[in-house]
Amino acid sequence: TTRETQRRTKKKPDTTPAESSYSPHPFTDSSAHWSSRSCQIQTLYVSFRDLEWHDWIIAPNGYDAFYCSGECNFPLNAHMNATNHAIVQTLVHLMNPSQVPKPCCAPTKLSPISVLYFLDESNVILKKYKNMVVKSCGCH
Amino acid sequence: GLYVDNGVDRTEMARALTSSERREVEHEILSLLGLPNRPPRAPPGSAAPQFLLDVYKSLLDAPRDDLNLSGRDLSAINESDVIMSFASRSEAHQSGLRHERGRRLWFDVSEVPIGERIVSAELRLFQSESTTPQRATVSVYQLVADGTREKALMLVDSAAAGPTGGWLVLNVTGPLNSWVAFPDSNLGLYLSVHLPDKPAHEIHPEDIGIVISKGSDASRQPFMVAFFQSSGHRTTHSR
């Protein structure tokens, strides 16, 4: 038992730097470390130029997509909206943390973008995407 | 890369994405935009992309004077969810025509999104400044099968062409509606030009400076543009 404990103790420093340098994937890792902050809008710029799609997507060069991230803890920032349901859900969550989840940090206002791209070698399409840019976030 | 706020009003790159993560993000964006495949590289400088680029610029906030939209009603552009341009493929389907002086235009409309309502469609023809100052009537006909090997002509729209040149715009909403509803009925359009003093005598479109041939300036070749409104029913492509 003592040897086992020593082995574990020795191994610990080796694993710590790797863990501390870990940065979660913004799309797939829901337990991202920045989500511990309160619900707010985060910057996500999608650059068609950096993706080397500019010979295909004529305009724009990219767009500010943004996304919502963070926890819905009250009181929220003054600018942050929360639905009545989110407030009630928070209270119920505090009473039953294991059964009732917290409200979700999600977009409250979205705006469109237009994208101009080649369909094939000659035909072109200009398409309006209605809910592409997050303008504000809130708790639902 | 993956950028995070460092807490003192500065954004720093935490780490670069791996190639597999980058591919995954690319696929996410493609899926979000509804683009299943990257098309082959397009020839630069053709007229249709330039027209839609002008439309795109008109949708941006700042008003611009350098846009060549030929007096188009901008409210119609703002109301459209999808605007598509179609380059003329006049080399396709050339057989079965008795008319020799007119020109036939054919457009591949198979990529028209399903479930979108067609608001309008325009045929845009460029007329170079003519050396012979004469007026003419440009008519566009829809080619329809009449059950025999010959094809019938159905008048769609006409426009007056003058010696000053520029873009001629003809309404071809009807033919596009029928081509989308019945793809096999797409036999193309027939372009006919008459002088006002000789209505029975048909002349070549090139005689009054209308650009038709493939070899000429790509930015002035004929194309069709169609305006669509979303029906609300979304079709998604599988990845």
Side-chain angles (χ1 to χ4, degrees):
Chain A
T1 308
T2 309
R3 273 202 300 274
E4 183 67 18
T5 310
Q6 282 171 344
R7 194 166 59 83
R8 278 184 196 161
T9 314
K10 276 180 186 173
K11 264 199 162 181
K12 203 174 179 182
D14 296 338
T15 54
T16 308
E19 283 171 3
S20 64
S21 65
Y22 169 73
S23 292
H25 190 287
F27 287 126
T28 57
D29 195 341
S30 59
S31 63
H33 68 275
W34 57 77
S35 68
S36 61
R37 302 175 63 171
S38 60
C39 176
Q40 61 183 281
I41 192 166
Q42 303 280 346
T43 305
L44 176 68
Y45 184 73
V46 176
S47 170
F48 297 137
R49 194 160 283 278
D50 285 353
L51 289 164
E52 296 174 352
W53 293 353
H54 51 279
D55 60 333
W56 163 31
I57 297 179
I58 304 165
N61 289 333
Y63 71 99
D64 282 309
F66 302 114
Y67 65 99
C68 299
S69 176
E71 287 201 19
C72 287
N73 293 318
F74 290 88
L76 292 167
N77 292 340
H79 64 276
M80 213 50 76
N81 291 320
T83 60
N84 285 338
H85 179 261
I87 296 165
V88 172
Q89 191 175 353
T90 303
L91 294 171
V92 180
H93 169 77
L94 290 171
M95 290 187 286
N96 300 296
S98 59
Q99 289 177 11
V100 181
K102 280 183 178 180
C104 178
C105 178
T108 52
K109 198 173 169 189
L110 296 155
S111 67
I113 61 161
S114 292
V115 182
L116 178 63
Y117 58 92
F118 282 101
L119 266 184
D120 53 34
E121 69 275 6
S122 54
N123 294 340
V124 183
I125 185 166
L126 175 61
K127 197 168 178 180
K128 191 189 286 178
Y129 293 90
K130 281 183 176 165
N131 298 317
M132 288 294 280
V133 179
V134 175
K135 300 299 263 187
S136 63
C137 300
C139 292
H140 294 258
Chain B
L2 175 62
Y3 296 81
V4 294
D5 186 343
N6 69 356
V8 285
D9 294 336
R10 193 172 291 172
T11 304
E12 291 176 345
M13 189 165 89
R15 67 176 175 86
L17 294 180
T18 64
S19 57
S20 64
E21 283 175 333
R22 182 192 158 108
R23 254 198 316 279
E24 191 184 341
V25 173
E26 286 184 13
H27 285 152
E28 288 289 343
I29 297 167
L30 287 175
S31 177
L32 202 62
L33 294 170
L35 307 174
N37 296 305
R38 184 192 178 104
R41 193 183 173 89
S46 52
Q50 187 54 53
F51 173 78
L52 281 191
L53 192 56
D54 283 348
V55 172
Y56 173 82
K57 287 173 183 171
S58 77
L59 293 172
L60 301 179
D61 292 336
R64 298 168 63 108
D65 297 328
D66 58 332
L67 308 179
N68 182 20
L69 298 175
S70 303
R72 207 179 194 293
D73 181 12
L74 292 182
S75 65
I77 291 173
N78 285 319
E79 286 168 16
S80 300
D81 297 310
V82 178
I83 306 172
M84 285 177 80
S85 72
F86 305 90
S88 163
R89 298 187 183 177
S90 50
E91 72 279 8
H93 304 276
Q94 284 289 3
S95 60
L97 270 181
R98 252 194 288 177
H99 312 273
E100 292 176 0
R101 293 183 182 274
R103 291 288 178 265
R104 187 171 170 184
L105 303 169
W106 189 82
F107 302 95
D108 181 3
V109 297
S110 60
E111 292 281 354
V112 168
I114 299 163
E116 307 285 326
R117 188 176 71 82
I118 298 167
V119 177
S120 64
E122 298 169 351
L123 173 66
R124 301 181 80 90
L125 305 163
F126 189 80
Q127 187 197 10
S128 306
E129 203 170 332
S130 182
T131 50
T132 53
Q134 55 186 352
R135 298 193 173 276
T137 303
V138 179
S139 302
V140 64
Y141 295 84
Q142 182 181 359
L143 283 152
V144 290
D146 67 352
T148 65
R149 289 184 65 188
E150 294 298 325
K151 293 164 182 72
L153 297 177
M154 202 163 68
L155 180 63
V156 176
D157 197 14
S158 297
T164 51
W167 285 97
L168 294 171
V169 182
L170 295 121
N171 185 344
V172 290
T173 311
L176 180 62
N177 270 313
S178 64
W179 297 339
V180 171
F182 308 102
D184 291 342
S185 72
N186 185 2
L187 302 174
L189 298 170
Y190 181 76
L191 196 63
S192 177
V193 180
H194 294 270
L195 297 174
D197 53 340
K198 298 175 185 171
H201 179 62
E202 192 177 30
I203 62 170
H204 294 293
E206 292 90 335
D207 293 345
I208 60 161
I210 291 178
V211 178
I212 295 287
S213 63
K214 274 271 180 195
S216 51
D217 185 358
S219 67
R220 294 178 167 186
Q221 282 174 359
F223 67 95
M224 186 172 75
V225 62
F227 300 83
F228 302 91
Q229 233 173 20
S230 180
S231 58
H233 302 293
R234 282 200 167 273
T235 52
T236 54
H237 297 278
S238 60
R239 273 171 38 201

